[in-house]
Amino acid sequence: MILDIKKLETGYGRLQVLRGIDLSVGKESVGLFGPNGAGKTTIINAVMGIVKPWAGSIEFEGTAIGGKPTHFVARAGIALVPQERELFPGMSVADNLELGAAYVPRGKPIMAQQLEVVLTLFPILKERYKQLVGTMSGGQQRMVAIGRALMANPALLILDEPSLGLQPSIVAEVFDRLSILKKDIAILVTEQNVRESLKAIDRGYVIENGAVVLEDTAAGLANNPHVISAYLGI
Ligand SMILES: Nc1ncnc2c1ncn2[C@@H]1O[C@H](COP(=O)(O)OP(=O)(O)OP(=O)(O)O)[C@@H](O)[C@H]1O
Ligand SMILES: [Mg+2]
């Protein structure tokens, strides 16, 4: 397994959010679904070292990373595209992408190669290479954010709500690109747009109230009555 989470419990202050999460990601694309406040971002925060686990374990490629600082996790090979984009709006696409590789040992030596990967994946970023990110559309900025994470050459790419606030055509494009990426890299993605993301993932988990209530293949989830009524709105 690339990522292996066992019996994870954590929260904020005295508020317990996660109540024993078991979740794993192999060489595949895995979705995390669930209502607002279910704990999806908290799972990501625990993996990235933003919140400390209260109990349980988190292993990445066989190394215990639970409770390790964020820079340690990033250097180990996990890159995050956060729910709130953290781009530098006053800097160009080129500079934002370069920063994604700058501080990561596994990214920096192959920066030129990774840049080619990113610009091939998102050709619009090649056209807009010198443009200031703050002047670009929301969809283009999301592509810069994904591209910047990829510049670190991660073994695992985590995306928190990548489709949030984007128009449908861009959402489809982003998920199409994720389906291409998953051939080379493990992906963990949280999404409100369950319908679109089911096309891009291999397996998924449904999180409700800080616990896994369902775990299945994309096809299994698409046909599950609970998923259909609660998340596909049919
Ligand atoms: N920094 C924080 N401090 C205190 N409570 C928090 C913090 N972040 C999240 N919470 C609480 O933890 C719970 C889980 O939040 P979390 O952000 O993990 O949910 P989520 O599944 O990602 O939801 P969403 O779909 O809205 O992004 C919620 O009750 C939320 O209010
Ligand atoms: Mg969230």
Side-chain angles (χ1 to χ4, degrees):
M1 278 298 156
I2 290 179
L3 181 70
D4 212 352
I5 299 178
K6 292 210 175 79
K7 298 189 165 58
L8 175 64
E9 296 181 33
T10 191
Y12 306 92
R14 277 157 52 183
L15 171 73
Q16 178 160 8
V17 175
L18 303 183
R19 303 162 196 283
I21 296 281
D22 288 299
L23 183 156
S24 63
V25 183
K27 289 202 162 121
E28 60 183 338
S29 178
V30 171
L32 270 186
F33 308 117
N36 293 119
K40 304 179 297 294
T41 298
T42 304
I43 294 173
I44 293 172
N45 286 346
V47 171
M48 294 310 296
I50 298 162
V51 299
K52 302 266 179 253
W54 294 356
S57 66
I58 307 174
E59 282 190 4
F60 175 66
E61 294 186 323
T63 302
I65 58 164
K68 297 272 199 239
T70 303
H71 63 83
F72 179 94
V73 176
R75 281 164 173 259
I78 305 183
L80 171 67
V81 182
Q83 195 165 352
E84 305 294 334
R85 278 161 289 155
E86 288 168 350
L87 295 168
F88 298 98
M91 285 169 55
S92 67
V93 171
D95 291 341
N96 270 278
L97 290 180
E98 193 172 312
L99 272 177
Y103 303 104
V104 186
R106 50 183 287 149
K108 202 168 178 191
I110 61 156
M111 210 156 105
Q113 202 178 317
Q114 280 301 101
L115 187 59
E116 206 45 50
V117 170
V118 170
L119 297 181
T120 306
L121 197 66
F122 298 117
I124 187 77
L125 301 186
K126 199 168 197 166
E127 280 169 41
R128 303 293 172 92
Y129 200 54
K130 296 288 173 195
Q131 189 170 334
L132 298 186
V133 161
T135 66
M136 296 168 75
S137 73
Q140 291 164 351
Q141 292 195 29
R142 194 68 43 90
M143 291 169 195
V144 176
I146 297 172
R148 193 176 66 170
L150 288 174
M151 289 297 291
N153 183 28
L156 173 65
L157 177 68
I158 302 182
L159 304 107
D160 200 356
E161 312 277 354
S163 81
L164 207 69
L166 301 186
Q167 56 187 49
S169 62
I170 307 288
V171 172
E173 186 177 347
V174 165
F175 280 109
D176 176 64
R177 295 313 128 96
L178 292 182
S179 341
I180 296 172
L181 269 178
K182 73 173 188 185
K183 294 184 199 109
D184 301 316
I185 192 174
I187 294 178
L188 179 64
V189 56
T190 80
E191 256 303 322
Q192 299 287 339
N193 193 333
V194 178
R195 190 185 305 277
E196 270 307 319
S197 52
L198 280 177
K199 297 177 193 163
I201 62 162
D202 300 305
R203 282 192 312 121
Y205 294 82
V206 177
I207 313 292
E208 289 174 8
N209 260 313
V212 174
V213 295
L214 198 58
E215 173 191 351
D216 208 337
T217 59
L221 290 174
N223 292 305
N224 182 284
H226 176 63
V227 173
I228 290 171
S229 68
Y231 301 102
L232 295 174
I234 297 170

